[in-house]
Structures are given as structure tokens and as C-alpha cells.
């Protein structure tokens, strides 16, 4: 216990040096961290300087109405490895799935972490909170709502991981039988960062935590409370298949010539134009691929109510050709205008959902 | 446990399919401008290839176009890193892997030698302490 406290009081630089990690190793670690946070490599010296002095924050991870997919995603994070993240970057003091303790001992660990790190710890939440009946989801006899309110009271910030915690997600899908709500609908007096996705990209989860550790602050957020650095551009704008969209070359079925040649999946229901996430650059499975690269359209899983946004295989109505340009300007102008981009995106989606139009060849001919 | 990179995946490109998605050439232009700046103004720079929306084949095409030069470096720190000068002097590739051999960063650095290859001041101070301790033992 005394050793644990000593380790907590050490800076990350001291801790790594004690483990025999050379300065080169540390710089490599910082290069991977910069890449993970989507920061340019020129930031590596600044990151090294900040991380050298950073102390491991206590993290309490609460799991409510969820499927554990977000934890599955995180534990497959590779850069740096989750072991490094947990043992070097943060002090993970409570997590149902990963902790050894159970029952009273587990709850005691949560209370001890809250008490010892009052005002400084981070609460990570995955899963939505049922308000219709507390009995729908409880832990150790404590309702999700009560546990969230109690744990968040002394927190520095809250990170809502996954579309369930960020926007209600699958439990919130129509007709929302449990009365599921997002973390942001309950927590109003603490900063809440939404890391949406079903699940979120693992390096985006770790990137947000690393940002807090490195700079002691939360990253710039968009209108939906998501970090701009990862959610600032649409899947469509960063998609390597975008040139095919611009040329009007589309796959019409999953096994036609267009599909085999890797043409745009827009007509097969790809929600890339209305979805903001980092899949096209961060990718999945150790950077191997991502849904569009493997031949399936984007489901839009990082957007609110994606379950209720019409069929996954229904094409969106034709987006306004100016949307991309408008969004580009707005995102470039910063977070205040980012709100407008979010509104623009929402209104376009609402229009698409209301119309449920599909695109025909004639429509595209008219456009071009 | 079998890891993803251990599974032999055979990619078959259909006839007429593109081998890459044309993203290598713009990066080559960026490298050219960076190399010109380094040559005339001495400004070193670095490009993070993981932040680019590459399609299948783009990364392989870029590395193929850059080729291999005269120097290869292997660094063993928190996993193995491979660093090599490309066929274009002053253009280096840095491929960082973690202890499991999984990629954690892939960068192109423009300069005389990648910064991470130099002996670091903190390690030199530590080396002096260790060398003195070793001599004191004799």
C-alpha cells in the first residue's frame, strides 16, 4: 500500500526511469502518444516535457447499461499498450471487469479512491442510466443513478465512453423501455467529454485520457461534447473512397464490379457524410483496416440515435454539395462555430430521416 | 494466443483494380518541399503517417517509391524500432513497434539523422554514474 502511494506520488518520468526505461524509450513513448492524440510530431518535445512531470490521475470506471464492448475495445488498444496506459498513465482504481476485488472490497476501493483523490480523479462511464425504474440496472444494490451522482460529486471531469454513455445508445433506442439517458443529461456541474462510438476507437479513448494527463486539461470539444481532434471531420471527408464519390462511381451491390474495385459505398447506405469520427485515419485492429476499407458502409455509430436513423442499408438523401465546404470552414474556425457545424449536421440528418429518400441514377445525373 | 499479424491473409486484387489510391504522390510532394526547406534553411521536419487517410496499398506504394538507402538502424527500447534512410538522402523512415511487435507509430523524418538516434543527455548522465560506479568496484 505504501509502495502504491509512493508510486502515485512519482511523476511519470520518474516512474519510467525507475523501471529502467531510457530517454530514447521515453521519446518513443511520447511519439506514440502524440500519434495517438492526433497531434503533429513537432509536439513530441512539448509532450515529453509535460509527461515527464505528469502524475498518474486516479480513474474510476463505472459500467451501467452496456455490453462491455467499450472495455473490449480499450483492452485491445495498442499504442501505447493498455498495460502501459493503466500502470503508467493512470491509476485505474475501480473497474468491474478488470479489477480483482469484488463485492464489498470493490465498493470500498471506489470509496477510498474518491476520498483520497477528492476533486482530482476522473470518472469514466460506459453505458446509459435507466431512469424508468432503478431496478433495471444496479450494482451492489446501488442504482446506476445514485452511483453516478455519488461518484461524480468529487470528480475533476467525466468521460462518457461509448454511444450509450454519450447519447443513450442502444438502450435509448425507440421505444426506450428503461428510460435510458446519457451521462450528460444527469451531470450538469462537471465537464463531460463524450467519446462516442459503438464501440469508440480504442486510441481515441486512450488519447482523451492521455490529453488530460499531458496537458492537465480537457481537449477542445464540438457541439456534441466530443473532442474536435478526433471528431472534427466527417468520415466522408477523410475517406480514401471519396474520389469515387466525386466521380460518381458507386457500388450498387456488395458483389458487383464497383464493390470489387473499391468504389464509393454511399448507395449501399454508408452514413459517412453525416458521421464524425476518426476511423478513416486511426483505423481498427492495430491500424489494419476500418469498415469502409473492408467493404461495408459506415453505420454512423458515433452519432446520436444512430439506431433510429433509418435502415443501415438505406442510402442517405443526396447531401447538399456545399455541406462539405461549409463544414470545413466552420470546423477550421474553432469550437464556437463548431456548434454551428453540429447543427448543420443534425439538420441534414433530420431532413434525410424525414424524407428517407434513396438515390437513383437519375438524381446523380441531374447533379452532375 | 494467435495475433492478428500471425494470421496469413492473402489479398487478391481483382483484375483492373487499383494497386493504391493515389495518396502516395501528394506525400512525396510534401517530402520534396520539406527536403528543400531542410537543404536551404536547415529546418527539420517530421510527418506522422498514421494521421493520414491512406487507402489499401497507399502506404506500401509510398514506401516502395521511397526505397531503401545506405543506413539501417535497429533500436531496442520499449520494443523494437526500425529506422532507415530512404533512397533519398535526408529522408528517413521510423517504424516504432511495441514489445509485442505491433506498430505504434510510423513517421517520416527529414534531417541529417533522426533525433531519436542521437545519444540523449539524460542517458549520458546516467551512463557517467554507472561507469563511475563500475570503476569504483575495481
Amino acid at each position: 500500500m505504501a509502495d502504491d502511494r509512493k508510486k502515485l506520488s512519482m511523476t511519470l518520468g520518474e516512474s519510467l526511469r525507475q523501471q529502467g526505461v531510457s530517454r530514447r524509450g521515453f521519446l518513443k513513448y511520447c511519439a506514440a502518444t502524440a500519434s495517438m492524440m492526433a497531434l503533429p510530431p513537432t509536439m513530441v518535445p512539448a509532450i515529453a516535457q509535460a509527461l515527464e512531470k505528469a502524475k498518474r490521475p486516479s480513474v474510476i470506471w463505472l459500467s451501467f447499461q452496456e455490453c462491455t464492448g467499450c472495455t473490449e475495445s480499450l483492452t485491445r488498444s495498442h499504442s501505447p499498450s493498455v498495460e502501459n496506459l493503466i500502470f503508467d498513465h493512470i491509476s485505474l482504481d475501480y473497474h468491474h471487469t478488470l479489477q480483482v476485488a469484488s463485492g464489498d472490497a470493490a465498493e470500498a476501493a471506489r470509496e477510498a479512491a474518491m476520498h483520497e483523490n477528492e476533486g482530482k480523479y476522473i470518472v469514466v462511464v460506459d453505458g446509459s442510466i435507466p431512469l424508468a425504474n432503478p431496478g433495471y440496472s444496479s450494482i451492489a444494490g446501488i442504482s446506476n443513478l445514485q452511483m453516478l451522482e455519488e461518484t461524480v460529486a468529487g470528480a475533476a471531469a467525466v468521460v462518457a465512453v461509448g454511444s450509450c454513455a454519450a447519447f443513450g445508445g442502444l438502450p435509448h433506442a425507440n421505444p426506450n423501455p428503461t428510460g435510458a439517458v446519457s451521462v450528460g443529461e444527469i451531470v450538469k456541474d462537471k465537464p463531460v467529454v463524450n467519446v462516442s462510438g459503438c464501440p469508440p476507437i480504442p486510441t481515441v479513448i486512450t488519447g482523451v485520457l492521455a490529453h488530460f494527463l499531458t496537458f492537465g486539461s480537457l481537449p477542445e470539444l464540438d457541439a456534441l461534447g466530443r473532442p474536435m481532434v478526433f471528431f472534427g471531420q466527417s468520415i466522408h471527408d477523410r475517406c480514401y473512397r471519396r474520389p469515387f464519390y466525386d466521380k460518381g462511381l458507386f457500388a450498387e451491390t456488395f458483389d458487383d464490379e464497383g464493390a470489387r474495385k473499391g468504389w464509393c459505398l454511399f448507395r449501399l447506405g454508408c452514413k459517412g457524410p453525416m458521421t464524425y469520427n476518426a476511423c478513416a485515419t486511426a483505423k481498427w485492429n492495430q491500424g489494419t483496416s476500418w469498415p469502409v476499407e473492408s467493404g461495408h458502409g459506415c453505420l454512423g455509430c458515433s452519432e446520436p440515435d444512430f439506431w433510429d436513423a433509418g435502415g443501415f442499408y438505406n442510402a442517405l438523401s443526396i447531401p447538399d454539395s456545399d455541406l462539405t465546404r461549409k463544414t470545413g470552414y466552420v470546423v477550421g474556425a474553432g469550437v464556437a462555430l463548431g456548434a454551428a457545424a453540429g447543427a448543420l449536421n443534425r439538420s441534414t440528418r433530420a431532413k434525410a430521416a424525414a424524407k428517407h429518400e434513396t438515390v437513383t441514377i437519375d438524381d446523380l445525373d441531374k447533379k452532375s | 494466443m494467435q495475433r492478428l499479424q500471425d494470421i496469413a491473409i492473402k489479398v487478391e486484387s481483382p483484375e483492373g483494380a487499383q494497386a493504391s489510391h493515389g495518396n502516395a504522390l501528394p506525400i512525396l510532394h510534401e517530402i520534396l518541399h520539406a527536403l528543400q526547406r531542410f537543404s536551404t534553411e536547415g529546418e527539420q521536419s517530421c510527418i506522422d503517417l498514421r494521421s493520414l487517410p491512406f487507402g489499401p496499398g497507399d502506404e506500401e506504394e509510398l514506401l516502395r517509391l521511397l526505397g531503401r538507402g545506405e543506413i539501417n538502424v535497429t533500436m531496442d527500447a520499449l520494443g523494437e524500432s526500425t529506422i532507415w534512410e530512404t533512397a533519398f538522402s535526408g529522408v528517413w523512415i521510423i517504424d516504432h513497434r511495441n514489445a509485442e511487435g505491433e506498430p505504434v507509430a510510423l513517421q517520416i523524418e527529414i534531417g541529417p539523422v533522426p533525433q531519436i538516434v542521437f545519444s540523449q543527455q539524460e542517458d549520458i548522465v546516467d551512463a557517467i554514474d554507472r561507469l563511475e560506479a563500475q570503476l569504483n568496484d575495481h
Side-chain angles (χ1 to χ4, degrees):
Chain A
M1 196 71 180
D3 281 350
D4 287 349
R5 283 213 189 88
K6 190 181 166 196
K7 204 172 175 191
L8 263 182
S9 67
M10 286 166 76
T11 65
L12 186 64
E14 289 166 345
S15 167
L16 288 173
R17 264 197 301 279
Q18 197 187 48
Q19 292 168 40
V21 175
S22 69
R23 183 71 184 176
R24 276 201 194 97
F26 181 63
L27 289 175
K28 173 176 170 175
Y29 187 79
C30 293
T33 305
S35 185
M36 185 174 73
M37 290 194 285
L39 293 172
T42 46
M43 289 287 286
V44 169
I47 291 167
Q49 204 176 9
L51 276 181
E52 178 82 23
K53 293 174 194 151
K55 290 191 177 172
R56 301 188 314 158
S58 170
V59 172
I60 297 175
W61 185 301
L62 304 175
S63 301
F64 298 143
Q65 290 194 130
E66 47 81 42
C67 67
T68 314
C70 297
T71 296
E72 286 287 334
S73 179
L74 177 68
T75 51
R76 274 140 191 80
S77 165
H78 61 285
S79 53
S81 72
V82 69
E83 292 81 5
N84 282 344
L85 178 83
I86 291 174
F87 297 116
D88 298 333
H89 263 168
I90 63 172
S91 173
L92 189 62
D93 292 327
Y94 181 85
H95 188 303
H96 297 175
T97 314
L98 300 179
Q99 71 191 143
V100 175
S102 62
D104 288 344
E107 295 313 309
R110 179 173 63 90
E111 282 160 22
M114 287 162 57
H115 180 68
E116 286 170 19
N117 305 288
E118 177 78 31
K120 290 185 282 190
Y121 61 89
I122 299 173
V123 176
V124 178
V125 182
D126 65 332
S128 61
I129 300 97
L131 296 185
N133 181 337
Y136 284 140
S137 177
S138 65
I139 298 151
I142 307 168
S143 75
N144 289 172
L145 177 63
Q146 190 189 342
M147 185 176 277
L148 177 63
E149 287 177 337
E150 189 182 296
T151 312
V152 158
V158 185
V159 182
V161 164
S163 292
C164 294
F167 307 129
L170 174 59
H172 181 266
N174 195 23
N176 190 5
T178 63
V181 296
S182 67
V183 171
E185 285 174 81
I186 293 170
V187 180
K188 300 288 184 193
D189 57 345
K190 301 276 176 186
V192 177
V193 180
N194 287 328
V195 182
S196 58
C198 190
I201 301 171
T203 49
V204 174
I205 305 175
T206 50
V208 170
L209 295 176
H211 189 286
F212 183 81
L213 175 78
T214 309
F215 302 112
S217 63
L218 294 170
E220 188 184 8
L221 306 178
D222 73 0
L224 295 174
R226 302 176 297 192
M228 291 284 282
V229 70
F230 300 113
F231 295 89
Q233 287 180 303
S234 74
I235 293 286
H236 189 56
D237 286 346
R238 300 288 272 169
C239 182
Y240 73 91
R241 296 195 189 210
R242 176 63 189 265
F244 295 116
Y245 174 91
D246 294 337
K247 288 178 197 159
L249 296 173
F250 298 94
E252 303 287 346
T253 66
F254 285 106
D255 60 354
D256 68 1
E257 190 197 0
R260 282 194 293 277
K261 287 186 172 171
W263 290 354
C264 179
L265 300 165
F266 180 76
R267 288 191 188 173
L268 290 170
C270 181
K271 304 294 184 286
M274 60 167 232
T275 306
Y276 288 75
N277 207 340
C279 299
T281 46
K283 301 191 179 180
W284 291 81
N285 296 321
Q286 292 94 48
T288 304
S289 181
W290 60 292
V292 169
E293 189 169 339
S294 61
H296 194 287
C298 166
L299 299 182
C301 76
S302 57
E303 297 300 311
D305 299 325
F306 77 99
W307 289 97
D308 294 328
F312 290 152
Y313 301 100
N314 293 346
L316 293 165
S317 60
I318 302 172
D320 180 344
S321 58
D322 286 340
L323 177 65
T324 309
R325 221 160 35 237
K326 281 177 194 159
T327 307
Y329 289 146
V330 166
V331 167
V335 73
L337 291 175
L344 195 63
N345 178 31
R346 275 197 301 281
S347 109
T348 305
R349 194 184 56 243
K351 214 164 34 178
K355 287 185 181 168
H356 277 281
E357 283 178 7
T358 52
V359 178
T360 65
I361 293 215
D362 291 341
D363 291 333
L364 289 162
D365 284 346
K366 271 182 246 160
K367 269 285 188 197
S368 59
Chain B
M1 190 179 76
Q2 195 172 33
R3 293 197 307 265
L4 192 68
Q5 66 261 38
D6 300 329
I7 303 171
I9 300 171
K10 189 181 172 194
V11 178
E12 291 181 4
S13 297
E15 206 177 325
Q18 288 185 327
S20 73
H21 286 77
N23 290 317
L25 281 179
I27 303 300
L28 277 185
H29 280 286
E30 193 176 335
I31 292 169
L32 171 64
H33 295 310
L35 200 54
Q36 286 167 337
R37 278 202 309 278
F38 173 60
S39 175
T40 55
E41 298 159 34
E43 181 190 330
Q44 298 185 30
S45 52
C46 189
I47 301 167
D48 179 12
L49 291 181
R50 288 273 173 264
S51 67
L52 301 171
F54 275 172
D58 280 333
E59 190 177 294
E60 293 77 2
E61 177 70 357
L62 178 64
L63 296 181
R64 189 188 66 76
L65 289 169
L66 286 172
R68 304 285 287 224
E70 298 164 333
I71 294 182
N72 289 292
V73 179
T74 305
M75 182 179 96
D76 192 9
L78 293 178
E80 192 170 286
S81 299
T82 316
I83 299 161
W84 67 92
E85 193 176 32
T86 68
F88 302 95
S89 190
V91 180
W92 298 78
I93 307 284
I94 303 167
D95 183 5
H96 286 313
R97 306 272 167 153
N98 65 14
E100 286 79 43
E102 295 164 347
V104 294
L106 182 66
Q107 300 172 330
I108 293 180
E109 197 165 319
I110 316 291
V113 178
Q115 294 298 311
I116 204 161
V117 174
F118 289 107
S119 294
Q120 306 291 318
Q121 178 60 24
E122 291 83 350
D123 292 340
I124 293 170
V125 170
D126 180 57
I128 292 169
D129 290 345
R130 283 187 293 112
L131 199 53
E132 279 176 349
Q134 206 165 345
L135 286 172
N136 288 339
D137 287 345
H138 288 286

